[in-house]
Amino acid sequence: MSYAVAVRALCEFTARAGDLDLRFTPAPSGVEGMAGHTVVTGRRGPAYETEMSLSGQHEGLLVRGRADGYDPVANQLEEIKTYRGQLDSVRENHRVVHWAQARVYGHLLCQARGLERVRVALVYFNVVTEEETVLVETHEAAALQTFFQEQCDRFLAWAKTELAHRQTRDAALEKLAFPHGEFRAGQRDLAVAVYRTARDGRCLMAQAPTGIGKTLGTIFPLLKASPGTGLDKIFFLAAKGSGRGLAVQALDTINAQPAAPALRVLDLQARDKTCEHPDLACHGDSCPLAQGFYDRLPAARAAALAHTRLDAPAVRATAREHRVCPYYLSQELIRWSDVVVGDYNYYYDSSAMLYAMTQAYQWKVAVLVDEAHNLVDRARRMYTGELDQASLSAARYAAPKALKKPLDGLQRSWNALNKKQAERYQAYDAVAPGVLAAVQKAVGAIMEYMAESPLPQDDPVLTFYFQALQFMRLAEQFGSHALFDVTLSDVGVASAKTRPSTLCVRNVIPASYLAARYAAAHATVLFSGTLSPQQFYRDTLGLPNETPWIDVAAPFQAEQLAVRVVGNVSTRYRDRERSLAPIVDLIATQYAERPGNYLGFLSSFDYLRQVSDLMRARHPDVPIWLQTPGMDEAGRAAFLARFTEAGQGVGFAVLGGAFSEGVDLPGKRLIGAFIATLGLPQVNAVNENMKRAMDLRYGEENGYDYTYLYPGMQKVVQAAGRVIRTESDVGTVHLIDDRYRRAKVRGLLPSWWRVD
Ligand code: SF4
């Protein structure tokens, strides 16, 4: 069996040296890069060949890739690289890798065509001036072969270890038995569906309740399917740290089995959590851990991979020992890990690292999306871009002379837009063309300026540039999936003439962005305790229509949960005052009947305060504790610490907040919940415009449900789901609002509930 490696990956491995340098230099975008290649190849003669697939072997190593171009008349192989600004901005350690790639392709071409010699050219193309700088070397085939073999030899020892790891891993996975012997009720159905999804290479939506062991029930079958389907990696993505922790634990359990597969499990952490020098910049002149990073990387990489659990402490310890940056070491370890556990944004964000690597190295990956209902809102935020006029003013103030003109031009167009707007908030059918053109001009000018004279990391012009770039890219893709809105500031308003604003390209339906990510993965499984109605999630998450949806039966009995609808109370805003006394009396009655721990969910902190104030006044004997706005980690831990087996009282929280999902309080730690809201998002101008966008896309009969009802009820079901966590739990849920009597609302409650 040979070990396959892409030319790029081989050369990055063997030729990278020196400092890590993440100083910002404006590089061409992917689209500009592709356009640049087309311009260069379009200038060549009719015989010119492009995108040639080439491969070669050396002692069990298969090296393959696509060469950019070959001119048979000049006998010249070309590797094309695009850049901006001055050629000097292409760093030396990048150039070394570029030459290595060109020479390896040179060898592969000589071998494929039986050439005795070839001209090997590096073509640097400036995407702005469209100038080419062509650097040429002429090599005999034998010299290129020697170079190729040297690169392979430097990689071979590593490749052999990797191949052995993969063979041992796959052999162990084939024999791997389910860690807990028996599957739990429902867990087998989930596992079978996930296995088939991986085998067939498609997507799956799985609604699976708490208590069946979803994490192991999805990871295990993917691992079992890996050897047969040739999966390179599994990405387990979660919205919260708790989901990531459960995945790491499940993988620990698998690695602890007899004849375990020794899976390398990387728990990917954000840069701000792992950086050892937050006050420094990521380059060798500033940070000691970036200086000589690539020189020390081979030893650090080898030492890290002696571990299977590559969590934050393990990566940090190795990084310290080898004096390399822990964050960039963990990025390197992605390449060599079997399972990567991380936040959604590492794969779904517009500049997501795991997605980019999957594309660049052509990995075959399977993606697990934990608690996937969260992906709708998270993806909306990933594809929303705001531009704040205060940020433009700061940039104008700090800008060098060369940038004043384009920034002033943008300021004028922006002010003209503000002046026309009568309301504080207004949405428009399209991004104001004058403003967009001015943003494009400003972005272009800053980019050109920075290509010549880089700006420091905290420069206001750079801060504005990043905001403007994201805004511009989203504005250029504007369509019915988004809103363009303008919010005038009411701070420091002297007159309507000078009133600044915030522009926003606000994503409503992230479907099209996410669909491209599913297409890049071999298989994707989206699972959650609440993934209904399936059409809502299919539409908003952009899943192919043929995507199967399974609903795994809950392991609980209806008798375990008493669900009571309190239909004589309205929690609508206008009825709040009247609702307070019935709510607190109901809570006190239930508490007197069955003392223990309860959660009370309200729709806002204001409502929570009113209910808790009255509770203290009318029922001072019932202990209560409250969630507070912006509660920190310690406060949240203290709130949850009150829920002990012997504890008694009511913790009040806001629905959709920190305590309405991802909280596990089994047994007597929680015996009931009061939900005094339908969880509907506030009716305001933004949500009403989102509703209109939903109306247009999915029909007027669905706009309200897609914007308000389904997201609201999803929160209700999640919050109520805190009560029954195990097959021996018993509890009560009170749904407080007259609208819970409606059949449509009842239809959105879990099928195993029996509602009184
Ligand atoms: S330690 Fe921090 S500053 Fe240094 S390279 Fe790493 S992330 Fe950058």
Side-chain angles (χ1 to χ4, degrees):
M1 188 177 174
S2 59
Y3 185 89
V5 62
V7 171
R8 176 177 162 174
L10 172 74
C11 297
E12 282 177 353
F13 190 95
T14 55
R16 270 191 319 189
D19 293 356
L20 178 78
D21 194 340
L22 272 288
R23 252 176 297 208
F24 177 74
T25 46
S29 66
V31 174
E32 287 171 331
M34 280 193 287
H37 275 66
T38 312
V39 172
V40 173
T41 55
R43 287 174 178 169
R44 303 299 188 253
Y48 194 78
E49 298 172 48
T50 59
E51 295 282 310
M52 289 168 298
S53 287
L54 295 169
S55 63
Q57 292 262 3
H58 178 68
E59 289 188 24
L61 189 65
L62 171 67
V63 181
R64 60 189 177 198
R66 256 188 230 133
D68 290 331
Y70 174 58
D71 180 346
V73 179
N75 187 26
Q76 179 160 304
L77 175 120
E78 298 190 326
E79 179 67 14
I80 303 166
K81 301 290 175 193
T82 55
Y83 73 101
R84 250 176 209 289
Q86 296 192 345
L87 191 53
D88 294 353
S89 66
V90 180
R91 295 188 182 108
E92 187 50 37
N93 56 1
H94 289 182
R95 289 182 190 222
V96 172
V97 177
H98 297 164
W99 271 120
Q101 282 174 261
R103 289 173 196 146
V104 168
Y105 280 124
H107 160 70
L108 297 177
L109 183 79
C110 285
Q111 199 183 43
R113 306 274 169 106
L115 304 175
E116 283 178 14
R117 72 185 60 78
V118 70
R119 286 159 61 89
V120 173
L122 258 187
V123 180
Y124 283 108
F125 178 76
N126 185 320
V127 291
V128 179
T129 63
E130 302 206 338
E131 276 169 38
E132 290 178 33
T133 305
V134 186
L135 310 172
V136 188
E137 296 173 339
T138 301
H139 289 287
E140 299 296 315
L144 288 172
Q145 179 164 13
T146 306
F147 179 81
F148 172 75
Q149 286 172 351
E150 278 168 8
Q151 304 308 304
C152 291
D153 285 338
R154 286 159 79 176
F155 186 66
L156 258 173
W158 183 262
K160 279 180 185 155
T161 323
E162 283 306 293
L163 192 58
H165 167 72
R166 190 158 176 155
Q167 283 171 338
T168 318
R169 177 196 78 178
D170 286 356
L173 286 176
E174 266 164 9
K175 290 195 201 112
L176 183 73
F178 189 64
H180 300 313
E182 291 287 301
F183 283 96
R184 287 190 222 167
Q187 198 178 29
R188 176 181 291 280
D189 299 338
L190 177 63
V192 168
V194 172
Y195 183 86
R196 287 186 180 143
T197 301
R199 186 194 61 193
D200 302 341
R202 59 182 185 192
C203 294
L204 171 73
M205 299 167 76
Q207 178 164 275
T210 309
I212 65 155
K214 275 181 284 196
T215 310
L216 205 51
T218 50
I219 290 176
F220 176 76
L222 275 194
L223 290 171
K224 289 295 290 179
S226 287
T229 49
L231 280 183
D232 292 308
K233 289 175 199 307
I234 292 172
F235 298 153
F236 186 101
L237 307 174
K240 296 196 173 94
S242 52
R244 294 210 310 271
L246 287 175
V248 173
Q249 266 174 32
L251 288 153
D252 274 351
T253 311
I254 288 170
N255 268 343
Q257 297 302 296
L263 297 168
R264 294 168 181 164
V265 178
L266 176 67
D267 185 7
L268 209 47
Q269 306 281 329
R271 181 183 173 277
D272 58 354
K273 290 221 169 95
T274 48
C275 174
E276 297 274 12
H277 297 289
D279 49 333
L280 301 183
C282 305
H283 57 84
D285 298 339
S286 173
C287 178
L289 301 181
Q291 199 177 59
F293 175 88
Y294 289 113
D295 303 331
R296 295 188 295 276
L297 180 63
R301 175 172 52 210
L305 294 179
H307 303 270
T308 51
R309 181 176 173 153
L310 299 163
D311 57 6
V315 174
R316 170 162 291 187
T318 308
R320 276 197 179 151
E321 201 181 313
H322 292 268
R323 289 178 296 112
V324 293
C325 164
Y327 179 65
Y328 292 102
L329 173 61
S330 72
Q331 284 200 4
E332 168 68 20
L333 294 175
I334 293 170
R335 293 169 169 82
W336 316 108
S337 296
D338 302 305
V339 184
V340 181
V341 178
D343 186 272
Y344 290 166
N345 64 6
Y346 287 111
Y347 190 77
Y348 289 111
D349 207 341
S350 54
S351 52
M353 186 164 59
L354 292 179
Y355 170 69
M357 290 174 103
T358 301
Q359 297 279 84
Y361 302 112
Q362 296 166 17
W363 290 334
K364 197 171 190 181
V365 302
V367 183
L368 289 172
V369 187
D370 178 43
E371 299 300 349
H373 59 274
N374 288 302
L375 189 56
V376 181
D377 267 353
R378 287 290 305 276
R380 278 178 180 154
R381 273 182 264 152
M382 292 173 203
Y383 294 98
T384 289
E386 274 196 354
L387 199 53
D388 170 13
Q389 214 163 354
S391 167
L392 171 61
S393 300
R396 279 174 75 221
Y397 187 71
K401 205 166 158 217
L403 293 178
K404 294 275 188 211
K405 201 170 156 197
L407 293 177
D408 285 346
L410 171 57
Q411 183 79 314
R412 278 195 299 278
S413 314
W414 199 332
N415 283 339
L417 177 70
N418 296 345
K419 251 195 260 174
K420 277 192 248 154
Q421 185 165 312
E423 302 295 323
R424 182 169 179 272
Y425 168 89
Q426 196 169 321
Y428 298 82
D429 292 340
V431 181
V435 171
L436 177 56
V439 171
Q440 286 164 329
K441 227 177 200 171
V443 165
I446 300 173
M447 216 184 264
E448 293 319 309
Y449 179 86
M450 285 193 297
E452 306 292 330
S453 352
L455 292 166
Q457 218 169 4
D458 53 355
D459 193 291
V461 176
L462 194 58
T463 310
F464 170 75
Y465 170 78
F466 288 130
Q467 263 190 34
L469 192 65
Q470 162 85 345
F471 175 85
M472 182 184 88
R473 288 193 177 145
L474 293 169
E476 286 168 351
Q477 299 167 56
F478 186 79
S480 61
H481 61 276
L483 304 174
F484 171 62
D485 55 42
V486 180
T487 309
L488 296 174
S489 163
D490 38 29
V491 179
V493 177
S495 71
K497 251 186 180 174
T498 57
R499 212 167 158 189
S501 71
T502 300
L503 312 178
C504 184
V505 175
R506 193 181 301 277
N507 184 272
V508 180
I509 306 161
S512 57
Y513 294 111
L514 298 176
R517 305 302 159 105
Y518 309 138
H522 172 70
T524 302
V525 176
L526 297 106
F527 62 100
S528 162
T530 47
L531 214 49
S532 317
Q534 55 165 302
Q535 196 57 41
F536 167 66
Y537 286 103
R538 196 185 294 275
D539 285 343
T540 50
L541 292 176
L543 287 150
N545 257 341
E546 65 282 4
T547 304
W549 185 87
I550 62 158
D551 189 6
V552 178
F556 311 127
Q557 304 301 316
E559 295 71 42
Q560 286 180 255
L561 185 69
V563 184
R564 302 204 176 114
V565 168
V566 183
N568 57 353
V569 177
S570 160
T571 63
R572 293 170 186 83
Y573 189 73
R574 60 172 187 269
D575 302 321
R576 291 263 164 94
E577 199 63 39
R578 258 177 293 155
S579 73
L580 300 176
I583 290 173
V584 300
D585 292 349
L586 170 81
I587 293 174
T589 308
Q590 170 67 31
Y591 182 80
E593 262 175 36
R594 194 176 170 218
N597 293 316
Y598 292 85
L599 269 167
F601 290 103
L602 288 310
S603 55
S604 67
F605 281 107
D606 188 44
Y607 201 5
L608 183 153
R609 185 189 49 75
Q610 293 177 41
V611 169
S612 56
D613 284 352
L614 193 65
M615 191 78 201
R616 282 197 183 102
R618 279 167 85 111
H619 305 287
D621 49 319
V622 180
I624 64 169
W625 56 98
L626 318 180
Q627 181 185 4
T628 52
M631 211 170 198
D632 61 12
E633 225 162 284
R636 292 204 294 268
F639 182 95
L640 289 175
R642 300 279 303 255
F643 293 87
T644 60
E645 283 283 324
Q648 289 188 348
V650 184
F652 284 105
V654 167
L655 191 78
F659 304 110
S660 48
E661 66 172 278
V663 169
D664 198 21
L665 298 167
K668 293 212 170 118
R669 293 184 67 195
L670 183 72
I671 62 165
F674 305 92
I675 302 177
T677 169
L678 252 77
L680 305 180
Q682 212 187 14
V683 177
N684 58 28
V686 174
N687 286 335
E688 283 296 279
N689 283 317
M690 287 178 79
K691 177 187 165 297
R692 265 189 286 281
M694 293 289 199
D695 284 345
L696 284 173
R697 180 73 76 94
Y698 302 115
E700 284 189 23
E701 67 284 11
N702 290 316
Y704 176 83
D705 296 347
Y706 274 37
T707 312
Y708 294 103
L709 185 62
Y710 298 155
M713 287 303 293
Q714 184 274 323
K715 291 192 191 97
V716 168
V717 175
Q718 273 290 338
R722 302 308 95 209
V723 179
I724 303 298
R725 309 299 293 170
T726 73
E727 285 159 59
S728 56
D729 284 6
V730 178
T732 314
V733 166
H734 285 86
L735 301 173
I736 308 169
D737 194 284
D738 57 278
R739 287 164 288 181
Y740 282 112
R741 287 180 175 151
R742 294 179 187 167
K744 186 168 182 176
V745 172
R746 295 258 185 127
L748 296 169
L749 300 175
S751 53
W752 68 273
W753 287 12
R754 200 163 55 219
V755 185
D756 293 337

